[in-house]
Amino acid sequence: MKKLFFLTFLLTLLLPISKIHAESVPEDVYDYLSGKPFVIANSTIENLSFTDNNNTTGTQMYNHYTISFENPIDISGYSSYSVGGIYGAGVAIIFNYDNGTSNTTVAGGSGGYTTLDLKGVKKITLARTGTEGSPGFLYDLKVFVKKTPTPVLNPTLDVTIEKEKVGLGQEFTAGVSLKNVKDIYAEDFEIKYDNQHLQYLGFEEVAGYKVYNTPTDLNGTLRFIVASKGEDYGINKDTVILKLKFKAKAIGTAVVDSTKARIADTEQEYDLEKENCLEDSIIIEATDVNKSGEFTLVDLAIDARYFKYLAADVDPVKYNAQQAGDEYVNDDDLLYIVDQILSNSNYLPNS
C-alpha cells in the first residue's frame, strides 16, 4: 500500500508541465521525432522503435535513451504509447534544456495528444520510473513542434533596366523577371514600351527558358509566352526569364512596362494583380557634340575646330566634345562622329 502511494505521489510530481486530458493533434504542428533514432545513453547504439510510427515495436526500459538536437527546439505537445511494468514501473520522458534544467512527464498508454509549451529543448531522455520489478515498455513517442508558416506569396512580374541614362542612338537591355512564386513553369505576359522614344530591336532568351510564340510589335505592345525547359528551371526565386533589346531614338524619359501576366504551375494558373506588373524607366540624353539631338556635319566641324584640346575645356555646358578615346579631342572622336553621321537616317548628303 505504501509502495502504491509513493508511485502515485511520484507521478503527480512529474505531470505539472502538461494538460492531462488527451486532445486532437492541432493542424499547425508535426512530429519532429519521426524517423530520428534515440541512442542508449553514453553509447552510439541506436533505437528506432520509439519513432517508427508503429505501436507494435517497442523497447523495455532497462537503459536510458537520449536524442539531442543541434539547435534547441520549441515543443508544443507530445503523444506516447507505453505499457507499465511490475509494481507500476513506467517510462519517464525528460526534456533537457541548454541551461541544465529539465522538465519531466510520464509516457501514457493511450497515444493521445497532450499540449506542452517548452522552449529551447536541447535533449530528450527516456528512463524507467520505479526501482523495483521489471521496467515498462515504450512503443511510440511523438514530439510535436510548430510547422514553419508557408510564406504568403505575392507573384510579381518586374522590368529592370540596369542603366539610369543612355545616349540618343545607343542601345540597352531591359530584363523581365518573375518574383515571389513557387514551382512556376509557364508565363504569358504583355509588355508595353514607349515607342515615341524607343525602337524595339528584339529579344534575347535566357538559358533554361524559351519563348514559344512569335511576338508581334503592335504599336509598342508585345506579348510573350515563355516556358521552362525542364524541372531544373521551375521558378522558385527571383528569376530573369527574358531580355528585351531597345535603341534610344528620341530625347526624354522612356518607360518599359509589364502591363499584365498569367503564370502557371503544374496544377493551375494564376493572373497577377495589376499592381504587381511593374515597370522601369530610362532617361535618354543628347550625346552629339552640339546637343541638338542628332549627329550632323556641324558636330564634326566643332570637334575639328577644337582638335587636340582637352575635351573638358571645350565649354561642357554647350558641347559634348568628348566622344571617344582619351580625354583629348583627336582622331578617335572625329571617326566616331562620322560613324554616327553615316548611321543617322535623317542626315542626307547634298543631292
Side-chain angles (χ1 to χ4, degrees), residues 303-333:
D303 266 23
R305 160 68 177 80
Y306 293 104
F307 196 81
K308 292 187 178 181
Y309 272 62
L310 186 66
D313 292 338
V314 184
D315 193 354
V317 174
K318 190 174 182 181
Y319 298 126
N320 291 319
Q322 173 65 47
Q323 292 290 321
D326 60 22
E327 67 269 26
Y328 289 90
V329 179
N330 54 34
D331 284 337
D332 290 335
D333 299 280

Side-chain angles (χ1 to χ4, degrees), residues 181-293:
V181 296
K182 180 175 175 59
D183 295 334
I184 296 299
Y185 288 90
E187 304 83 34
D188 181 356
F189 56 90
E190 181 181 87
I191 298 291
K192 286 188 178 181
Y193 70 92
D194 181 351
N195 60 355
Q196 298 300 309
H197 291 87
L198 301 176
Q199 177 186 352
Y200 172 63
L201 301 178
F203 63 86
E204 177 185 340
E205 291 178 332
V206 177
Y209 306 95
K210 183 174 178 61
V211 176
Y212 281 97
N213 69 321
T214 303
T216 302
D217 190 345
L218 300 175
N219 195 31
T221 300
L222 299 155
R223 181 184 180 185
F224 294 93
I225 299 178
V226 180
S228 303
K229 299 175 72 173
E231 61 182 347
D232 290 343
Y233 295 98
I235 302 175
N236 291 286
K237 60 181 180 180
D238 294 1
T239 302
V240 176
I241 57 175
L242 186 67
K243 295 180 180 179
L244 307 176
K245 296 185 288 185
F246 297 98
K247 182 177 181 178
K249 70 177 188 179
I251 297 170
T253 299
V255 172
V256 181
D257 187 8
S258 62
T259 52
K260 58 184 176 181
R262 176 174 293 175
I263 60 177
D265 56 27
T266 56
E267 296 181 357
Q268 56 187 327
E269 56 190 45
Y270 316 85
D271 287 337
L272 270 62
E273 298 292 339
K274 185 175 179 60
E275 59 266 26
N276 291 337
C277 296
L278 307 182
E279 65 179 38
D280 202 358
S281 61
I282 189 166
I283 298 171
I284 302 169
E285 299 179 319
T287 56
D288 60 304
V289 179
N290 67 351
K291 302 183 181 180
S292 68

Side-chain angles (χ1 to χ4, degrees), residues 7-263:
L7 287 172
T8 302
F9 176 72
L10 176 62
L11 293 181
T12 302
L13 290 178
L14 294 174
L15 287 172
I17 63 170
S18 66
K19 294 180 182 178
I20 298 175
H21 63 279
E23 310 161 45
S24 59
V25 179
E27 293 183 358
D28 63 342
V29 300
Y30 72 99
D31 177 17
Y32 188 80
L33 294 184
S34 181
K36 295 182 173 70
F38 278 77
V39 297
I40 295 177
N42 302 316
S43 80
T44 58
I45 300 174
E46 294 186 345
N47 188 324
L48 272 169
S49 69
F50 310 131
T51 58
D52 60 2
N53 298 306
N54 186 341
N55 286 351
T56 64
T57 56
T59 300
Q60 195 167 16
M61 302 302 295
Y62 284 107
N63 296 293
H64 286 196
Y65 293 87
T66 64
I67 185 169
S68 299
F69 311 113
E70 182 177 354
N71 298 306
I73 63 173
D74 296 339
I75 298 175
S76 299
Y78 85 104
S79 67
S80 60
Y81 180 74
S82 66
V83 175
I86 298 177
Y87 302 126
V91 180
I93 306 170
I94 305 166
F95 300 96
N96 306 100
Y97 303 97
D98 247 351
N99 61 8
T101 62
S102 64
N103 273 318
T104 303
T105 189
V106 173
S110 66
Y113 178 84
T114 302
T115 296
L116 299 176
D117 185 17
L118 307 180
K119 307 294 185 184
V121 175
K122 187 67 174 176
K123 182 174 73 171
I124 298 175
T125 301
L126 306 176
R128 67 176 290 173
T129 62
T131 57
E132 296 186 28
S134 298
F137 279 83
L138 178 64
Y139 290 90
D140 185 68
L141 175 63
K142 292 180 172 64
V143 165
F144 296 93
V145 301
K146 294 283 188 183
K147 295 176 181 176
T148 301
T150 302
V152 178
L153 298 178
N154 194 25
T156 301
L157 189 69
D158 197 7
V159 175
T160 304
I161 302 171
E162 290 186 3
K163 295 181 178 179
E164 182 180 346
K165 298 179 180 180
V166 69
L168 188 66
Q170 293 181 344
E171 298 178 7
F172 67 93
T173 300
V176 180
S177 60
L178 192 58
K179 303 178 177 181
N180 305 324
V181 296
K182 180 175 175 59
D183 295 334
I184 296 299
Y185 288 90
E187 304 83 34
D188 181 356
F189 56 90
E190 181 181 87
I191 298 291
K192 286 188 178 181
Y193 70 92
D194 181 351
N195 60 355
Q196 298 300 309
H197 291 87
L198 301 176
Q199 177 186 352
Y200 172 63
L201 301 178
F203 63 86
E204 177 185 340
E205 291 178 332
V206 177
Y209 306 95
K210 183 174 178 61
V211 176
Y212 281 97
N213 69 321
T214 303
T216 302
D217 190 345
L218 300 175
N219 195 31
T221 300
L222 299 155
R223 181 184 180 185
F224 294 93
I225 299 178
V226 180
S228 303
K229 299 175 72 173
E231 61 182 347
D232 290 343
Y233 295 98
I235 302 175
N236 291 286
K237 60 181 180 180
D238 294 1
T239 302
V240 176
I241 57 175
L242 186 67
K243 295 180 180 179
L244 307 176
K245 296 185 288 185
F246 297 98
K247 182 177 181 178
K249 70 177 188 179
I251 297 170
T253 299
V255 172
V256 181
D257 187 8
S258 62
T259 52
K260 58 184 176 181
R262 176 174 293 175
I263 60 177

